[in-house]
Each structure stands twice: as C-alpha cells, then as structure tokens.
Amino acid sequence: PVDRAVFDSGWWIDHRAAYGLVDRAEVAESALLDLLLLADCDYFVGTFSSHFSSAAFELSTFSKGFVPPYVSVDCPWRPAR
C-alpha cells in the first residue's frame, strides 16, 4: 500500500521533492497508480484544466474504446490532437 501521509503538508509535493524531503520515486509511483486507477473508473468527474485529469480521461477513452460518461467541473473536454 502507498503511504498517503507523505502528501499531508502545507508545501506542494514538487517543492518537497526538489528539496529532497520526500522520496521522488515513491511520489512518481503513487502518481502513476492514481492515474491508472482514475483511468479505470466507469465514470469520470474531474477538471479538464488539469493535465493530470485530462491524461487520465484520455487513457480511459483509449482503453475503453469510447468516451465514458463524464462531468467536468471547470471547462469542456477537448480531445487531444
């Protein structure tokens, strides 16, 4: 299991990784796991202004072969070109 306590801080995770306060490999592994789990969901609720959410949605669309049901809380989806 991934220890989520590493994310419990007032500093952004990328700043803490740059200063060596967290294990960058562990952070990358956790992000990849989150991306794959999000892409595997049956429904998507996210922010398409976020590259992370957009990547998860694109992965989901590709792996399923169709656009899954979704709700964007900020802007419309624009397929990758």
Side-chain angles (χ1 to χ4, degrees):
V2 177
D3 179 15
R4 294 295 199 182
V6 71
F7 300 106
D8 193 20
S9 173
W11 283 33
W12 287 21
I13 192 69
D14 51 337
H15 293 157
R16 288 184 288 139
Y19 286 111
L21 301 174
V22 294
D23 180 7
R24 291 189 298 200
E26 182 181 344
V27 170
E29 182 180 319
S30 176
L32 183 57
L33 179 62
D34 287 347
L35 185 72
L36 294 174
L37 287 172
L38 186 58
D40 194 42
C41 291
D42 293 329
Y43 302 92
F44 180 85
V45 177
T47 59
F48 288 135
S49 61
S50 160
H51 292 293
F52 191 86
S53 290
S54 294
F57 188 73
E58 293 287 342
L59 284 171
S60 180
T61 300
F62 177 78
S63 68
K64 290 174 175 59
F66 61 89
V67 176
Y70 69 93
V71 173
S72 172
V73 297
D74 62 359
C75 61
W77 175 55
R78 292 181 293 273
R81 297 168 199 199

